[in-house]
Amino acid sequence: MAEAVFHPPRRKRRVFESYVSPFPVDVGGKDFRICQAEILNNNVLVRNPEDIEQLYNKGYFGKGILSRSRPVYSISDPSLVAKWQGANINMPIISSKKYQYHVQWAKSILQEQGFDDCSVTKILENYTKPLELPVLEEEGAEQTSNSCNRMSQNAENTKLPSQSSTEAGNGAAQRPENEEEGYQKACLEGDSVAKSGSKEEDQGEVQEGGAVAGEKQGFLVPGSCRAEGGAGQRWCDTIKAQECAPEYVLVQEEEEGTLCPEEDSAPGEENLAKKEKLVCRKNPFRIFEYLQLSLEEAFFLVYALGCLSIHYGEEPLTIVKLWEFFSEVKPNFKTTYMAYHYFRSKGWVPKVGLKYGSDLLLYRKGPPFYHASYSVLAEMVDDNFEGSLRRPLNWKSLSGLNRTTASASKELMFCYLIRPSDMTEEEMSTPECMKRIKVQELIVSRWVSSRERSEQDDF
């Protein structure tokens, strides 16, 4: 058998971040933090922005549910943020069309809850009405004026209060409490939905319906934690308070009035531009980005590092219960986790390899720095390398899988987890069985006859 040749990984050309740490734990133990997660629909989700930042920045655990990898989803439109960059703004900026989508989603949620069309219309009209934004009295601060330009020149001097609830989906940023209180005192004294206690029945409906529409989301309904007392309860209360708080956005809308010619239009040409302004409104349908952990990543953080606590329903799950639960959800969990644990301990960053038809993808340092080097298939075998393989491959399927891996500049690796013949199922019911498991790697390479023949002729 030929000896496997380990090729150096391909480094990415553009790297915009620095390497922090291989694991989300502190070696000295001074700043040790236990992150919180919950199981929802057989998925492990992390909702606290601080925990999301900790787990992803240190070790690249998990994936943002609304992003390609790093959880950086933002409701703001990048083109509008660049357009109004002269204004000192700390709010999400969206277009009126996008804002109407959020209104329609909130409307469908309220209709599902049994509200009639008249009540839904009244609720949304009161909840999404424009809010006044007082301008801070600082150097040269002026209110945004009605300009014929699409990008207001006075926006450069506009000082809007730095406010708002945590920007939707941005897991790395969290608003301080004193900033929230200052903003509420400054410009939300007349808010009839979230803060003020209304005596009118209509406003009571607005408060109830608006709060529910703000909490619920299209595919995730927060609030599955019901632990009473302790750190778990405080964590759930904090997350609920953040998600139930109203989110304020700046909506770019067209001003009512006449049109005026653009500055760069030639004389005689009717090249007209509409007046535009930013209007502060409350977002009736918030979208939160969570960090989704694979089952292998979640168990590694609990079992190997001890820096994660996973709740299901009312109580945090123990290591043995997690081992049993994940094995029921994913029948091959024990095999894939043993491979994950092995490669993580060797310094690799394993990620799910489903898109390449494999179990794991191995990265050096992390996905932002290098392309994946190996595509791994994990199999559990006995001492004689025999057993009921999860994925029996014939020559045709193996050739296709190898060509798919090679076309993505990766190498195909088989990871055989050798189980002793005397190991019983009872021993396999706990993760302690990994102490007796041996690992054998096999790299599969494609042999090209013409290339091998030309290399022999060179000698």
Side-chain angles (χ1 to χ4, degrees):
M1 181 180 294
E3 183 179 357
V5 179
F6 291 86
H7 300 285
R10 291 193 309 129
R11 187 174 179 86
K12 291 188 175 181
R13 296 180 180 178
R14 299 178 180 179
V15 179
F16 302 100
E17 57 185 270
S18 58
Y19 186 70
V20 180
S21 172
F23 298 120
V25 294
D26 184 25
V27 179
K30 297 179 181 179
D31 299 328
F32 183 77
R33 175 188 180 89
I34 297 181
C35 301
Q36 304 288 337
E38 62 178 310
I39 297 178
L40 186 63
N41 298 329
N42 295 334
N43 297 313
V44 181
L45 300 178
V46 181
R47 299 162 59 188
N48 190 348
E50 295 180 0
D51 294 344
I52 292 175
E53 182 180 5
Q54 176 84 356
L55 295 178
Y56 191 86
N57 290 349
K58 297 183 179 181
Y60 301 98
F61 291 89
K63 174 190 176 299
I65 62 173
L66 301 177
S67 304
R68 296 183 61 183
S69 182
R70 176 179 288 276
V72 292
Y73 170 80
S74 175
I75 190 177
S76 290
D77 188 343
S79 60
L80 294 182
V81 173
K83 179 178 178 180
W84 295 90
Q85 63 182 352
N88 185 14
I89 297 172
N90 192 23
M91 288 188 191
I93 304 177
I94 62 176
S95 62
S96 58
K97 183 178 181 181
K98 186 175 182 180
Y99 185 76
Q100 290 302 319
Y101 288 146
H102 289 251
V103 175
Q104 291 297 327
W105 296 336
K107 181 178 180 180
S108 63
I109 291 294
L110 292 175
Q111 289 175 345
E112 291 176 0
Q113 295 176 357
F115 290 90
D116 54 31
D117 293 340
C118 182
S119 299
V120 170
T121 302
K122 186 182 299 184
I123 289 172
L124 292 178
E125 285 180 354
N126 283 274
Y127 194 83
T128 61
K129 62 184 178 181
L131 301 175
E132 294 183 0
L133 276 176
V135 180
L136 298 180
E137 297 180 359
E138 294 182 358
E139 299 178 0
E142 298 178 3
Q143 190 174 5
T144 305
S145 61
N146 298 334
S147 173
C148 293
N149 263 341
R150 291 190 176 183
M151 181 174 179
S152 174
Q153 296 178 355
N154 289 336
E156 298 181 357
N157 297 326
T158 303
K159 301 278 187 176
L160 297 179
S162 65
Q163 61 79 73
S164 117
S165 59
T166 305
E167 190 170 309
N170 188 353
Q174 186 176 10
R175 182 187 56 185
E177 295 181 357
N178 55 359
E179 186 178 352
E180 177 184 358
E181 295 176 358
Y183 176 77
Q184 292 172 355
K185 292 180 181 179
C187 57
L188 298 183
E189 294 179 355
D191 188 353
S192 61
V193 177
K195 302 302 175 185
S196 63
S198 173
K199 297 181 180 180
E200 297 181 3
E201 183 178 355
D202 293 342
Q203 292 186 355
E205 293 180 357
V206 172
Q207 182 174 0
E208 180 183 358
V212 175
E215 289 179 11
K216 301 195 69 173
Q217 303 161 50
F219 51 92
L220 291 175
V221 181
S224 61
C225 288
R226 303 182 187 86
E228 297 180 0
Q233 177 65 27
R234 292 193 297 270
W235 168 69
C236 290
D237 293 341
T238 302
I239 297 299
K240 288 180 181 179
Q242 294 175 357
E243 295 183 350
C244 294
E247 179 186 38
Y248 301 93
V249 296
L250 292 175
V251 185
Q252 179 177 280
E253 300 178 356
E254 297 177 357
E255 291 190 16
E256 298 180 358
T258 58
L259 302 178
C260 59
E262 291 183 340
E263 289 183 352
D264 56 352
S265 60
E269 293 183 0
E270 296 183 357
N271 190 11
L272 302 179
K274 296 182 179 180
K275 299 179 181 180
E276 294 175 341
K277 62 180 179 179
L278 295 179
V279 180
C280 180
R281 298 178 186 271
K282 281 193 292 189
N283 183 12
F285 189 90
R286 297 186 64 183
I287 301 177
F288 300 94
E289 176 160 43
Y290 301 143
L291 185 71
Q292 181 175 354
L293 300 172
S294 67
L295 302 184
E296 293 80 10
E297 290 174 328
F299 193 82
F300 182 83
L301 292 170
V302 175
Y303 173 70
L305 301 182
C307 62
L308 183 69
S309 176
I310 301 179
H311 292 74
Y312 181 71
E314 299 180 356
E315 299 178 356
L317 297 179
T318 62
I319 292 177
V320 176
K321 288 184 179 180
L322 282 175
W323 183 263
E324 297 174 354
F325 181 81
F326 289 165
S327 299
E328 294 178 0
V329 173
K330 187 177 180 180
N332 61 330
F333 168 75
K334 296 177 182 178
T335 302
T336 56
Y337 175 74
M338 291 180 187
Y340 180 93
H341 188 105
Y342 172 77
F343 288 114
R344 263 289 183 181
S345 63
K346 295 295 183 180
W348 293 95
V349 178
K351 305 295 288 187
V352 177
L354 182 62
K355 59 183 177 182
Y356 292 106
S358 60
D359 297 318
L360 299 173
L361 293 176
L362 300 185
Y363 293 85
R364 180 185 177 186
K365 295 177 68 175
F369 307 101
Y370 293 91
H371 295 278
S373 300
Y374 300 100
S375 183
V376 181
L377 293 179
E379 292 287 356
M380 182 77 70
V381 296
D382 57 14
D383 296 333
N384 299 321
F385 282 83
E386 296 178 355
S388 56
L389 300 180
R390 299 184 302 106
R391 192 181 317 204
L393 298 174
N394 53 30
W395 287 111
K396 184 177 180 179
S397 59
L398 177 60
S399 177
L401 181 60
N402 192 27
R403 289 182 69 93
T404 301
T405 305
S407 64
S409 300
K410 297 170 179 54
E411 292 186 275
L412 181 61
M413 178 189 293
F414 283 91
C415 179
Y416 292 104
L417 303 161
I418 304 173
R419 171 183 173 179
S421 56
D422 59 344
M423 180 176 287
T424 62
E425 290 298 329
E426 184 179 357
E427 293 182 71
M428 293 288 293
S429 61
T430 64
E432 295 298 315
C433 64
M434 289 190 293
K435 296 179 180 179
R436 300 184 60 191
I437 299 293
K438 298 180 180 179
V439 181
Q440 177 67 51
E441 303 132 332
L442 176 65
I443 297 179
V444 181
S445 60
R446 180 168 171 259
W447 184 77
V448 182
S449 60
S450 60
R451 186 177 61 188
E452 296 293 334
R453 185 174 60 251
S454 62
E455 291 179 356
Q456 293 292 334
D457 295 340
D458 293 339
F459 289 102

